[in-house]
mmCIF file of all heavy atoms in Angstrom:
data_model
loop_
_atom_site.group_PDB
_atom_site.id
_atom_site.type_symbol
_atom_site.label_atom_id
_atom_site.label_comp_id
_atom_site.label_asym_id
_atom_site.label_seq_id
_atom_site.Cartn_x
_atom_site.Cartn_y
_atom_site.Cartn_z
ATOM 1 N N PRO A 237 -92.121 -44.913 160.104
ATOM 2 C CA PRO A 237 -91.311 -43.895 159.075
ATOM 3 C C PRO A 237 -92.407 -43.472 158.057
ATOM 4 O O PRO A 237 -93.456 -44.061 157.847
ATOM 5 C CB PRO A 237 -90.279 -44.852 158.493
ATOM 6 C CG PRO A 237 -90.843 -46.133 158.494
ATOM 7 C CD PRO A 237 -91.619 -46.296 159.697
ATOM 8 N N GLY A 238 -92.032 -42.456 157.406
ATOM 9 C CA GLY A 238 -92.828 -41.734 156.458
ATOM 10 C C GLY A 238 -94.277 -41.474 156.875
ATOM 11 O O GLY A 238 -94.501 -40.867 157.852
ATOM 12 N N ASN A 239 -95.122 -42.000 156.107
ATOM 13 C CA ASN A 239 -96.613 -41.729 156.400
ATOM 14 C C ASN A 239 -97.290 -42.985 157.106
ATOM 15 O O ASN A 239 -98.404 -43.082 156.883
ATOM 16 C CB ASN A 239 -97.494 -41.239 155.240
ATOM 17 C CG ASN A 239 -97.185 -42.368 154.064
ATOM 18 O OD1 ASN A 239 -96.430 -43.354 154.210
ATOM 19 N ND2 ASN A 239 -97.923 -42.162 152.976
ATOM 20 N N GLY A 240 -96.403 -43.846 157.729
ATOM 21 C CA GLY A 240 -96.955 -44.944 158.373
ATOM 22 C C GLY A 240 -97.208 -46.150 157.456
ATOM 23 O O GLY A 240 -98.458 -46.687 157.517
ATOM 24 N N THR A 241 -96.291 -46.634 156.585
ATOM 25 C CA THR A 241 -96.549 -47.658 155.675
ATOM 26 C C THR A 241 -95.452 -48.779 155.950
ATOM 27 O O THR A 241 -94.339 -48.544 156.402
ATOM 28 C CB THR A 241 -96.507 -47.204 154.263
ATOM 29 O OG1 THR A 241 -95.287 -46.674 153.996
ATOM 30 C CG2 THR A 241 -97.685 -46.311 154.054
ATOM 31 N N PHE A 242 -95.779 -49.907 155.541
ATOM 32 C CA PHE A 242 -94.887 -51.053 155.455
ATOM 33 C C PHE A 242 -94.252 -51.190 154.108
ATOM 34 O O PHE A 242 -94.839 -51.531 153.262
ATOM 35 C CB PHE A 242 -95.535 -52.477 156.009
ATOM 36 C CG PHE A 242 -96.022 -52.440 157.454
ATOM 37 C CD1 PHE A 242 -97.295 -52.058 157.618
ATOM 38 C CD2 PHE A 242 -95.150 -52.888 158.484
ATOM 39 C CE1 PHE A 242 -97.703 -52.101 159.070
ATOM 40 C CE2 PHE A 242 -95.659 -52.833 159.712
ATOM 41 C CZ PHE A 242 -96.872 -52.518 160.026
ATOM 42 N N ASP A 243 -92.977 -50.727 154.103
ATOM 43 C CA ASP A 243 -92.333 -50.837 152.728
ATOM 44 C C ASP A 243 -92.254 -52.240 152.243
ATOM 45 O O ASP A 243 -92.072 -53.193 152.925
ATOM 46 C CB ASP A 243 -90.728 -50.282 153.048
ATOM 47 C CG ASP A 243 -90.325 -49.779 151.516
ATOM 48 O OD1 ASP A 243 -90.180 -50.559 150.589
ATOM 49 O OD2 ASP A 243 -90.016 -48.573 151.448
ATOM 50 N N LEU A 244 -92.460 -52.275 150.907
ATOM 51 C CA LEU A 244 -92.519 -53.679 150.144
ATOM 52 C C LEU A 244 -91.062 -54.376 150.212
ATOM 53 O O LEU A 244 -91.093 -55.618 150.046
ATOM 54 C CB LEU A 244 -92.919 -53.456 148.787
ATOM 55 C CG LEU A 244 -94.307 -52.780 148.491
ATOM 56 C CD1 LEU A 244 -94.526 -52.702 147.059
ATOM 57 C CD2 LEU A 244 -95.380 -53.570 149.199
ATOM 58 N N MET A 245 -90.004 -53.698 150.456
ATOM 59 C CA MET A 245 -88.721 -54.268 150.257
ATOM 60 C C MET A 245 -88.370 -55.249 151.475
ATOM 61 O O MET A 245 -87.436 -56.057 151.445
ATOM 62 C CB MET A 245 -87.697 -53.232 150.374
ATOM 63 C CG MET A 245 -87.527 -52.397 151.601
ATOM 64 S SD MET A 245 -86.087 -51.183 151.515
ATOM 65 C CE MET A 245 -86.231 -50.433 153.017
ATOM 66 N N TYR A 246 -89.306 -55.246 152.494
ATOM 67 C CA TYR A 246 -89.118 -56.237 153.663
ATOM 68 C C TYR A 246 -89.800 -57.518 153.372
ATOM 69 O O TYR A 246 -89.898 -58.385 154.369
ATOM 70 C CB TYR A 246 -89.554 -55.577 154.968
ATOM 71 C CG TYR A 246 -88.687 -54.367 155.316
ATOM 72 C CD1 TYR A 246 -89.300 -53.132 155.079
ATOM 73 C CD2 TYR A 246 -87.396 -54.423 155.698
ATOM 74 C CE1 TYR A 246 -88.609 -51.839 155.341
ATOM 75 C CE2 TYR A 246 -86.676 -53.244 155.965
ATOM 76 C CZ TYR A 246 -87.237 -52.002 155.752
ATOM 77 O OH TYR A 246 -86.601 -50.790 156.026
ATOM 78 N N TYR A 247 -90.429 -57.559 152.214
ATOM 79 C CA TYR A 247 -91.180 -58.872 151.855
ATOM 80 C C TYR A 247 -90.798 -59.494 150.693
ATOM 81 O O TYR A 247 -90.222 -58.641 149.793
ATOM 82 C CB TYR A 247 -92.751 -58.603 151.840
ATOM 83 C CG TYR A 247 -93.119 -57.834 153.198
ATOM 84 C CD1 TYR A 247 -93.222 -56.611 153.201
ATOM 85 C CD2 TYR A 247 -93.620 -58.635 154.141
ATOM 86 C CE1 TYR A 247 -93.845 -55.953 154.402
ATOM 87 C CE2 TYR A 247 -94.015 -57.965 155.432
ATOM 88 C CZ TYR A 247 -94.066 -56.699 155.485
ATOM 89 O OH TYR A 247 -94.667 -56.143 156.671
ATOM 90 N N PRO A 248 -90.716 -60.829 150.435
ATOM 91 C CA PRO A 248 -91.474 -61.769 151.359
ATOM 92 C C PRO A 248 -90.424 -62.207 152.371
ATOM 93 O O PRO A 248 -89.273 -62.042 152.270
ATOM 94 C CB PRO A 248 -91.863 -62.848 150.463
ATOM 95 C CG PRO A 248 -90.765 -62.813 149.247
ATOM 96 C CD PRO A 248 -90.530 -61.322 149.136
ATOM 97 N N TYR A 249 -90.886 -62.830 153.408
ATOM 98 C CA TYR A 249 -90.116 -63.484 154.396
ATOM 99 C C TYR A 249 -89.892 -64.960 154.149
ATOM 100 O O TYR A 249 -90.960 -65.754 153.729
ATOM 101 C CB TYR A 249 -90.725 -63.285 155.819
ATOM 102 C CG TYR A 249 -90.182 -64.133 156.862
ATOM 103 C CD1 TYR A 249 -88.842 -63.810 157.363
ATOM 104 C CD2 TYR A 249 -90.959 -65.008 157.696
ATOM 105 C CE1 TYR A 249 -88.286 -64.558 158.370
ATOM 106 C CE2 TYR A 249 -90.348 -65.776 158.694
ATOM 107 C CZ TYR A 249 -89.133 -65.519 159.092
ATOM 108 O OH TYR A 249 -88.537 -66.161 160.175
ATOM 109 N N TYR A 250 -88.804 -65.479 154.310
ATOM 110 C CA TYR A 250 -88.393 -66.779 153.851
ATOM 111 C C TYR A 250 -88.255 -67.826 154.994
ATOM 112 O O TYR A 250 -87.823 -68.959 154.690
ATOM 113 C CB TYR A 250 -87.059 -66.857 153.043
ATOM 114 C CG TYR A 250 -87.333 -66.193 151.647
ATOM 115 C CD1 TYR A 250 -86.958 -64.810 151.478
ATOM 116 C CD2 TYR A 250 -87.824 -66.988 150.621
ATOM 117 C CE1 TYR A 250 -87.150 -64.199 150.146
ATOM 118 C CE2 TYR A 250 -88.026 -66.297 149.311
ATOM 119 C CZ TYR A 250 -87.657 -64.976 149.209
ATOM 120 O OH TYR A 250 -87.889 -64.335 147.964
ATOM 121 N N GLY A 251 -88.556 -67.480 156.231
ATOM 122 C CA GLY A 251 -88.500 -68.476 157.306
ATOM 123 C C GLY A 251 -87.278 -68.202 158.115
ATOM 124 O O GLY A 251 -86.209 -67.810 157.677
ATOM 125 N N LYS A 252 -87.341 -68.564 159.314
ATOM 126 C CA LYS A 252 -86.221 -68.496 160.390
ATOM 127 C C LYS A 252 -84.968 -69.316 159.979
ATOM 128 O O LYS A 252 -83.867 -68.844 160.481
ATOM 129 C CB LYS A 252 -86.706 -68.693 161.792
ATOM 130 C CG LYS A 252 -87.022 -70.060 162.152
ATOM 131 C CD LYS A 252 -87.483 -70.212 163.515
ATOM 132 C CE LYS A 252 -87.863 -71.653 163.866
ATOM 133 N NZ LYS A 252 -88.393 -71.780 165.339
ATOM 134 N N ILE A 253 -85.066 -70.335 159.189
ATOM 135 C CA ILE A 253 -83.919 -71.116 159.115
ATOM 136 C C ILE A 253 -82.913 -70.551 157.998
ATOM 137 O O ILE A 253 -81.825 -70.457 158.279
ATOM 138 C CB ILE A 253 -84.393 -72.587 158.545
ATOM 139 C CG1 ILE A 253 -85.215 -73.307 159.670
ATOM 140 C CG2 ILE A 253 -83.071 -73.404 158.230
ATOM 141 C CD1 ILE A 253 -85.679 -74.739 159.232
ATOM 142 N N THR A 254 -83.563 -70.049 157.007
ATOM 143 C CA THR A 254 -82.753 -69.354 155.918
ATOM 144 C C THR A 254 -82.615 -67.762 156.110
ATOM 145 O O THR A 254 -81.739 -67.137 155.733
ATOM 146 C CB THR A 254 -83.230 -69.772 154.531
ATOM 147 O OG1 THR A 254 -84.678 -69.312 154.432
ATOM 148 C CG2 THR A 254 -83.208 -71.192 154.401
#
Side-chain angles (χ1 to χ4, degrees):
N239 55 353
T241 59
F242 292 93
D243 199 300
L244 300 180
M245 66 180 177
Y246 300 106
Y247 303 97
Y249 170 63
Y250 290 95
K252 65 180 181 180
I253 297 179
T254 56

